[in-house]
Amino acid sequence: MTTMVKDMLRTYPADLGGVDRSAMERCIAECFDCSQTCTACADACLSEDMVAELRKCIRTNMDCADICEATGKILSRHTGYDANITRAQLQACAMVCKSCAEECERHADMHEHCRICAEACRRCEQACNELLATL
């Protein structure tokens, strides 16, 4: 996936300004990866016997998946760029990833899918914060 993200950034016909392309590439890829992982984790939680105890985890996974997907899409659009919108979206994404990672870590010893999800959320949180630092 990173190759496609890199290729699309490379072939964008207009100037991207001073954006750190590697940070942007990584953040887009991590956002889409985290969205997929959170969606799969929520689904796996729904298949667990203790689904009632995982209600908050499922909700947090779904919120995180939606926000990460939206962030990846926003970062993939460069025409009419508004730095304020990008900053706000990255901040929201980092915050939901942190929250989701913390929730999944509570279940990581019992559910491998939660451990994997927490790792994906931490990577995405870091990528969002790194890109924010360059804006």
Side-chain angles (χ1 to χ4, degrees), residues 61-118:
N61 282 159
M62 293 170 63
D63 289 347
C64 191
D66 289 346
I67 292 171
C68 287
E69 181 178 355
T71 304
K73 287 179 176 182
I74 288 168
L75 294 176
S76 296
R77 295 190 289 259
H78 308 289
T79 303
Y81 171 77
D82 185 326
N84 292 321
I85 292 171
T86 300
R87 275 190 210 93
Q89 188 66 33
L90 285 167
Q91 289 167 340
C93 193
M95 181 174 57
V96 75
C97 285
K98 182 180 190 307
S99 179
C100 192
E102 289 171 356
E103 182 60 30
C104 279
E105 286 165 351
R106 294 181 55 231
H107 311 285
D109 290 342
M110 291 180 63
H111 307 291
E112 181 73 2
H113 54 84
C114 285
R115 183 193 63 74
I116 293 166
C117 188

Side-chain angles (χ1 to χ4, degrees), residues 1-2 21 32 34 36 42 46-47 50 52 60 68 74 86-87 96-98 106-107 111 127 132:
M1 181 172 176
T2 301
R21 286 178 184 249
F32 287 129
C34 191
Q36 185 279 324
L46 287 168
S47 295
M50 57 182 289
T60 306
C68 287
I74 288 168
T86 300
R87 275 190 210 93
V96 75
C97 285
K98 182 180 190 307
R106 294 181 55 231
H107 311 285
H111 307 291
L132 266 168

